[in-house]
Amino acid sequence: MRFRHPDGSIVHLAYCTNVHPAETLDGVLAQLRDHCEPVRRRLGRDRLGIGLWLARDAAHALVTDPSALRRLRTELDRRGLEVVTLNGFPYQGFGAEEVKYRVYKPDWADPERLDHTSALARVLAGLLPDDVTEGSISTLPLAWRTVYDQRTAQAARTALLALAERLDALEELTGRSIRVGLEPEPGCVVETTHDAITPLTAIAHDRIGICVDTCHLATSFEDPHTAVDALVEAGIPVVKSQLSAALHAEHPHLPEVRAALAAFDEPRFLHQTRTATAAGLRGTDDLGEALAGDTLPDGAPWRAHFHVPLHAAPAAPLTSTLPVLKAALTRLVGGPNPLTRHLEVETYTWQALPPELRPRGRAQLADGIAAELALARDLLTDLGLKELP
């Protein structure tokens, strides 16, 4: 979906296909048929943006076989779909029964992360619509915090500088400008937007910026306006923003609140949980850990890294951080000029919701994704952007 900002520039809205995990090119093509095109039809659009997630094997097939890339581009066009952004964070196995800490491997100290991201950039340059010259890729925020030291920090910085050089060369070759954004996430080396400023300033290259995920922003209790203002002041480009909402519990000391939270404690993904205290942010790596006894102080609200559907906040006594998303969006695209032109709804946890909230079949999932995109569309038009055909 495309929108014209009051300054005349085009802002793209997509949804991320990591909600339909597939490891191979054939699986990706099936996603377009079974999920993405039905979502487009529900929205009554001739064209729908999707943020592709390409696992290692799919990306390798596309970058080594020009005919495979042409096949994917043809299928996108045939089904009324377009791609300006990729989710380069998960590497493989995102649809596994247990993902947890595995999603942070390989990290930016591992040469495979550089090779994979470089391959994604080459693929994206070949998938961009004919009238679009800029693409974006979100990526791992350096590494999970427990495996990071001075040696790995230097290796990651070297890899990102090498990536920037490859992206420069790619633009010279193709005329397509691809940028990559570190996506701050709780528990990682770069947990907050503030954490991103020092490493990105050290790299000091406009090809490498930040991806602002509004679920992660909220989970870490960051104020959207303060966070974005700091990025602007530091000259850090906002490459893209993922529109998502976290799980919010206002009174986590109450037994009924803990019982409601326990329904979201599931085995596939990590659900990092945070609370803001007078001494600073406190947290656990997973929701179950927070619920176990007195591990996490419960005198103030908790937020958990669980991407809840934008249009459907959990039932009381829980809610979502949709107000944080709205505030972030206002700051990012509601001003005289957009600070980013790539927006991506990312709710990959539909099948991880409590059983009674999960979609039953493809049709219900398509309905839910379309409803999320419709909400995002309304937020953008409320900010003065005009939806384009």
Side-chain angles (χ1 to χ4, degrees), residues 35-377:
H35 301 289
C36 302
E37 185 176 9
V39 170
R40 177 183 65 77
R41 293 186 181 280
R42 279 163 171 76
L43 290 165
R45 305 290 304 165
D46 293 332
R47 174 174 52 191
L48 177 69
I50 57 171
L52 274 181
W53 172 60
L54 297 172
R56 180 195 64 181
D57 290 349
H60 179 76
L62 290 165
V63 83
T64 56
D65 183 356
S67 66
L69 187 59
R70 288 193 298 270
R71 181 184 175 201
L72 176 57
R73 176 64 186 272
T74 299
E75 278 297 291
L76 288 166
D77 293 341
R78 187 166 75 89
R79 299 189 184 281
L81 305 169
E82 67 177 14
V83 175
V84 303
T85 189
L86 300 180
N87 185 337
F89 195 135
Y91 177 69
Q92 61 183 353
F94 200 61
E97 291 185 4
E98 181 177 335
V99 178
K100 299 289 185 180
Y101 295 95
R102 291 166 51 192
V103 75
Y104 307 107
K105 291 292 187 178
D107 60 34
W108 272 102
D110 187 330
E112 183 54 37
R113 176 62 66 171
L114 171 61
D115 291 344
H116 177 61
T117 309
S118 301
L120 292 177
R122 291 165 59 191
V123 170
L124 181 56
L127 293 180
L128 288 177
D130 293 340
D131 61 345
V132 175
T133 59
E134 296 183 355
S136 63
I137 301 171
S138 48
T139 190
L140 177 78
L142 299 183
W144 184 254
R145 69 183 187 281
T146 56
V147 295
Y148 211 66
D149 56 23
Q150 187 173 354
R151 180 193 64 81
T152 51
Q154 182 56 46
R157 181 173 181 272
T158 299
L160 286 167
L161 287 170
L163 175 66
E165 292 178 357
R166 294 182 185 184
L167 297 177
D168 284 343
L170 184 64
E171 183 174 16
E172 289 185 14
L173 180 67
T174 67
R176 305 298 179 90
S177 173
I178 308 298
R179 297 190 298 168
V180 173
L182 302 184
E183 181 186 332
E185 176 164 314
C188 292
V189 173
V190 175
E191 172 157 339
T192 65
T193 56
H194 177 77
D195 294 337
I197 291 175
T198 296
L200 289 175
T201 301
I203 293 168
H205 199 297
D206 61 6
R207 300 278 185 199
I208 312 297
I210 193 169
C211 168
V212 176
D213 183 301
T214 58
C215 170
H216 303 170
L217 190 81
T219 302
S220 294
F221 286 87
E222 290 194 81
D223 174 73
H225 291 276
T226 302
V228 175
D229 286 349
L231 294 172
V232 171
E233 184 177 352
I236 305 298
V238 182
V239 170
K240 66 185 279 190
S241 179
Q242 288 174 327
L243 308 183
S244 52
L247 194 61
H248 180 94
E250 186 69 18
H251 302 292
H253 65 285
L254 296 176
E256 61 268 28
V257 175
R258 287 185 172 245
L261 284 171
F264 288 84
D265 178 27
E266 55 83 37
R268 180 177 295 181
F269 302 111
L270 276 186
H271 300 295
Q272 302 94 313
T273 305
R274 299 289 184 266
T275 187
T277 72
L281 204 63
R282 294 279 302 277
T284 60
D285 284 355
D286 214 348
L287 179 56
E289 185 182 347
L291 291 169
D294 57 359
T295 305
L296 194 63
D298 60 7
W302 286 4
R303 289 177 178 172
H305 172 215
F306 194 115
H307 292 231
V308 295
L310 301 187
H311 67 294
L318 304 178
T319 187
S320 81
T321 60
L322 185 62
V324 176
L325 183 159
K326 292 179 178 179
L329 198 58
T330 298
R331 183 66 183 88
L332 289 169
V333 301
N337 306 105
L339 299 180
T340 185
R341 291 188 295 275
H342 291 178
L343 305 173
E344 179 184 63
V345 171
E346 193 206 18
T347 306
Y348 58 83
T349 43
W350 276 96
Q351 300 300 342
L353 289 167
E356 66 275 11
L357 301 179
R358 294 175 194 168
R360 290 184 288 277
R362 293 176 184 170
Q364 283 193 3
L365 178 58
D367 289 343
I369 293 169
E372 289 193 284
L373 284 166
L375 183 148
R377 175 196 61 203

